[in-house]
Amino acid sequence: MDHDIVISGGGIAGLTAAAAFAHAGFDVLCVDPAPPVTDAKTEGADLRTTAFLQPARMFLREAGLWPGLAPFATPLEVMRIVDAGGETPEPRVIKDFESQDISDEPFGWNLPNWLLRREMVTDLQKLERVTFRPGTATTSLFTREGEARVGLSDGTRVRCRLVIAADGRNSPMRQAAGIGVKTTRFGQKALAFAVTHPIPHGNVSTEIHRTGGPFTLVPLPDRDGRPCSAIVWMEEGPKAERLFALDDTRFEAEMSERSCHLLGPLTLASRRTLWPIIAQEAERLSGQRLALVAEAAHVVPPIGAQGLNMSLRDMTVLLELANAAPERLGDAAMLDAFERRRMPDIRARVAGITLLNKTSMISAPALRDARAKALDALYTLKPVRKTLMQLGLGAG
């Protein structure tokens, strides 16, 4: 064999998987068609952020990645849900879900995606068991009972025991294996960017619901002496495109109004990026000698910090199975067990987040009123509130 594992995809999920399996003693090749963009000012930089919830941080520690990330992480102590669905963009219901109700630690820790790639690539370069080849794509997959053969864009072919597809929602490896997907389109797009503001965020992540989708402010470290947050602003596609095209002054006015001025006037601190919003799940999580993880397996709207945290749960299970019987890496029994353990959670979370997103999009006044009452009722019942927070962290 050339390698124990070939990972298709060098995004955050793929880089994390490479480090985790290398630390566990497996020989790993990780490839990606594009070199990672590791500077926020470079064209193509991913300006979104990722909130690593408690179980995800534990996995990053085991993979040896957390020490390099911790100095840049902003803790999330409170998840604030705001309903602003009245006639004017003003808060009607504000509810704080506090981490101290269920844990001595924050819910999670937030980091910019471009910075995650920078630090993870730096760490991978120190690992003898990882070969990282950015600028190289997977082009073909041939499997048999005992091995997989992966064709690469440089004309070579490598043999391995397991292929991990971490190559995105349009996964070439998933397509090569003939695994279909179920896709839900919401007609939404998300604007992602960073802002500064005069009122400190206090390590509170704030999700404001009105129409079109949530407007979420996630804490970042101060920038130039001013409090700073990352924003994901979801809207119906045509409105999102109109907002994206506005000049900075008009855009700042609109986003400040949409934020209900909770942190004061917002000032752009980065360029804007635009992303389509879908929900998607693969029909299967595995094929012969192939495991699907991250967006190759599931895509959800950016609500409740579930996306990448679901991905790290995929890898946690896969790594547990690999460590339990290294000699059976990539065989049918291991991959069947992976599918059985992950598929129920994936289906439940994709369905739940899809429902939450549709609820956040409603525009009819009566339904907006019902949404506000439901939030108030759920929060008031302390056992329900604690259960929802625990489920959000991945319990259950």
Side-chain angles (χ1 to χ4, degrees):
M1 293 290 175
D2 298 308
H3 305 277
D4 292 322
I5 300 169
V6 171
I7 298 173
S8 177
I12 295 168
L15 296 174
T16 303
F21 279 90
H23 268 275
F26 296 97
D27 183 79
V28 179
L29 170 66
C30 180
V31 299
D32 192 90
V37 179
T38 58
D39 188 313
K41 297 178 182 178
T42 302
E43 186 67 29
D46 187 348
L47 300 182
R48 296 172 296 179
T49 64
T50 294
F52 291 97
L53 303 179
Q54 291 177 15
R57 185 186 65 161
M58 190 180 307
F59 186 78
L60 291 173
R61 278 177 169 166
E62 294 171 359
L65 294 171
W66 186 248
L69 299 174
F72 306 101
T74 304
L76 306 178
E77 306 279 359
V78 177
M79 299 288 193
R80 177 169 293 156
I81 308 296
V82 178
D83 188 277
E87 291 304 310
T88 57
E90 297 176 352
R92 299 193 300 175
V93 179
I94 300 177
K95 298 299 180 184
D96 287 354
F97 295 81
E98 300 185 15
S99 60
Q100 64 184 16
D101 285 349
I102 59 170
S103 172
D104 293 332
E105 293 192 297
F107 284 118
W109 294 262
N110 196 51
L111 292 111
N113 286 4
W114 63 267
L115 185 144
L116 285 167
R117 286 190 171 90
R118 185 189 74 190
E119 297 303 313
M120 287 179 174
V121 168
T122 299
D123 282 341
L124 285 190
Q125 292 169 346
K126 304 172 186 175
L127 297 177
E128 292 183 1
R129 290 185 175 273
V130 175
T131 302
F132 179 44
R133 293 173 60 183
T136 304
T138 51
T139 56
S140 65
L141 176 66
F142 174 78
T143 61
R144 54 178 61 178
E145 189 172 329
E147 68 176 40
R149 298 180 183 179
V150 181
L152 303 177
S153 57
D154 61 5
T156 61
R157 180 176 291 186
V158 293
R159 298 167 61 225
C160 65
R161 298 162 65 198
L162 172 66
V163 178
I164 298 177
D167 43 7
R169 59 186 67 184
N170 299 314
S171 169
M173 289 293 94
R174 185 188 67 220
Q175 293 177 26
I179 300 174
V181 294
K182 173 188 173 184
T183 303
T184 301
R185 303 188 186 279
F186 301 97
Q188 289 170 296
K189 292 187 177 180
L191 295 137
F193 50 93
V195 298
T196 57
H197 38 82
I199 300 173
H201 50 60
N203 293 340
V204 176
S205 176
T206 303
E207 201 169 89
I208 305 168
H209 294 263
R210 185 161 169 76
T211 58
F215 181 102
T216 306
L217 301 105
V218 188
L220 289 174
D222 288 358
R223 182 174 301 193
D224 300 325
R226 288 172 57 83
C228 185
S229 295
I231 289 181
V232 176
W233 182 359
M234 292 164 58
E235 282 287 0
E236 294 179 355
K239 183 174 181 180
E241 291 172 1
R242 178 186 70 78
L243 291 164
F244 185 70
L246 292 177
D247 62 55
D248 287 356
T249 300
R250 292 175 63 198
F251 184 78
E252 288 175 346
E254 293 226 18
M255 70 174 171
S256 295
E257 181 180 35
R258 181 61 179 82
S259 74
C260 301
H261 298 279
L262 290 178
L263 298 179
L266 304 179
T267 303
L268 276 170
S270 75
R271 60 187 175 83
R272 291 164 260 172
T273 55
L274 193 63
W275 303 83
I277 299 298
I278 65 168
Q280 183 170 282
E281 54 188 305
E283 293 174 353
R284 306 194 315 274
L285 297 182
S286 63
Q288 191 175 53
R289 294 282 161 185
L290 173 71
L292 308 184
V293 302
E295 288 202 341
H298 44 75
V299 181
V300 292
I303 295 175
Q306 291 299 302
L308 191 66
N309 290 278
M310 289 171 63
S311 304
L312 296 190
R313 284 195 285 275
D314 299 340
M315 292 173 219
T316 299
V317 171
L318 202 59
L319 185 59
E320 286 176 2
L321 294 168
N323 284 333
E327 72 282 359
R328 303 191 66 176
L329 179 71
D331 72 6
M334 174 189 165
L335 293 174
D336 286 347
F338 171 65
E339 181 125 10
R340 285 196 306 273
R341 287 180 57 181
R342 285 300 298 138
M343 189 61 93
D345 179 65
I346 288 170
R347 285 183 172 158
R349 289 181 188 274
V350 171
I353 295 167
T354 295
L355 178 61
L356 284 173
N357 188 40
K358 288 182 176 178
T359 301
S360 76
M361 293 174 66
I362 58 178
S363 57
L367 293 176
R368 294 202 309 247
D369 292 345
R371 180 182 64 199
K373 290 177 181 177
L375 171 60
D376 196 43
L378 287 172
Y379 183 86
T380 301
L381 299 168
K382 188 173 182 179
V384 175
R385 182 168 81 246
K386 292 179 71 172
T387 299
L388 286 173
M389 289 190 284
Q390 288 163 344
L391 286 171
L393 289 181

